[in-house]
Amino acid sequence: MYGACDQSRFCWVELVAADWPDAGRTVVATGCAADSDEVGYRKPDPSLIVQAARALRTAPADCWYVGDTYDRDVVCGRRAGVGATILMLAPQRRDPSVVPQPDAAVADGPELLALLRGAVRS
């Protein structure tokens, strides 16, 4: 599962279950959305991730969470107990002194796709 969130209000979550087509297998993708205004909580409250994982019939520990902020997204992923928290942020905007740090950092969608592909193949 990976998530993409707009500020701290809306969270789009997509689950990728299976391998990549170029590996000769099928990708199954399912999505759900959680809107903070509707559910009553905002990041870094982990309830958004927990609710999305539940809707997709998986556990947060079996998910990757992708966000673009340390204080909301990385903290939210850690609190939810996701398998990996990924920071999507330009290298010049990253801060190695911030705690907690993400499990990985990527600059953009193509880098995220490469990271996902590498994880699926390993």
Side-chain angles (χ1 to χ4, degrees), residues 17-21 24-28:
D19 278 323
W20 300 99
R25 294 174 215 143
T26 306
V27 173
V28 178

Side-chain angles (χ1 to χ4, degrees), residues 14 20 33 36 39 56 59 62 64 67 73 88 91-92 106 110:
E14 188 158 324
W20 300 99
S36 291
V39 297
L56 295 171
D62 295 328
W64 284 16
D73 295 314
M88 187 180 297
Q92 65 272 20
V106 296

Side-chain angles (χ1 to χ4, degrees), residues 19-110:
D19 278 323
W20 300 99
D22 60 2
R25 294 174 215 143
T26 306
V27 173
V28 178
T30 305
C32 71
D35 184 329
S36 291
D37 287 345
E38 291 177 13
V39 297
Y41 35 75
R42 296 184 182 273
K43 298 180 297 177
D45 185 325
S47 300
L48 283 170
I49 294 174
V50 172
Q51 177 180 334
R54 186 177 302 127
L56 295 171
R57 296 186 178 125
T58 192
D62 295 328
C63 303
W64 284 16
Y65 182 73
V66 180
D68 63 356
T69 66
Y70 289 96
D71 62 335
R72 288 190 310 262
D73 295 314
V74 175
V75 170
C76 187
R78 292 281 188 243
R79 288 180 179 174
V82 298
T85 301
I86 313 302
L87 183 68
M88 187 180 297
L89 195 61
Q92 65 272 20
R93 295 186 55 215
R94 296 180 195 155
D95 184 350
S97 68
V98 174
V99 176
Q101 282 290 306
D103 296 298
V106 296
D108 53 27

